[in-house]
Amino acid sequence: MTEATYPAELIRSAPKAELHVHLEGSVGAETLLALAEDHGVQPPARDVEGIRDWYSFRDFPDFLERYFFVCRLLKRREDFQRVAYDYLLTAHHQGAVHVEFHISSSYHTQEVGLDWSVVLEGAVAGCEQAEQACGISSLLIPDLSPHLGAASAQATMDAVLAQLHPRVVALGMGGPSDRWWDEDFESAFDRARAAGLRTVCHAGEHGPAKEIRHAIENFGAERIQHGIAAIDAPDVLGLLLAKKIPCDVCPASNFALKAVDDLASHPLPRMVEAGLTITLGSDDPPLFHTDLLNEYRIAWEYGQLREAALFDFAKNSITESFATPEAKERWLTS
Ligand code: ADE
Ligand code: ZN
């Protein structure tokens, strides 16, 4: 029997959205070096190869340390504009018609001390510039960093809600869940919803499936980033299915951060089999030596998923996005 050939061009040209990518995690080695030079910061390695090597992680805390190093290199409006624009053009070449950027708003405003307007205006300028250049649509999802605590989440909400922009559609949360259980993050999500924002949350990535339940029941998450732990918890699987809540899954990220032992044992095929609505994202692509199309290729190669499943991922990414019904209709019929 001959091996099926991966339909690279069919998948590339399928209209698709990317719902799980972090703006700061889209910074490649060249840009990191340029930003370090601009800001007079000693880079962690001298050349592109060195930075690519530095983009490898012992574990999740080690990853977060490096991710926040990259965050700290983004200081000016033009820095945020540059990385948003660059990523959107890359995504466009991979057949993405729409991208929803997660942005570490708590970290920038509360830890670094940037004014939210610097982050917002820069990211919006990059989105507008890319839309003019190639027509790609994009929206923004400010993310809370729960390791900074609930008071910091509230201060982030003050900043974000004071300057709402039509491109800001949802509130998200990433990072470790240690402080979820004893501190009040619920009211940050309540405030977001009261202001008309949608809500999403990272959960069940490294942590147990109970994170997913908590994200849905306490934070009102409408989409779960990762959610891979659901496969081992029938009750949580049932909750995701009953509420038709999609998981934005990133296999290369899960492998790079050792949430799975290897790509062949990633639960993606079992999640599909269980009937979950799945979209694929690249999370922090250069950090994980991946890109959006590589996630589709991984699903084919390691997950043994074929065209129909991959086209479902692409279609789901559009239907589950926070774009307007008109835009979704246009992309789905293009
Ligand atoms: N922030 C950036 N990447 C992340 C990930 N994979 N999980 C949680 N938070 C993140
Ligand atoms: Zn993520």
Side-chain angles (χ1 to χ4, degrees), residues 20-22 102 143 174 202 205 225-226 250 253 283-284:
H20 186 173
V21 59
H22 298 261
H102 295 248
D143 251 11
H202 285 63
E205 176 189 14
Q225 279 75 60
H226 299 294
C250 310
S253 160
D283 210 6
D284 305 282

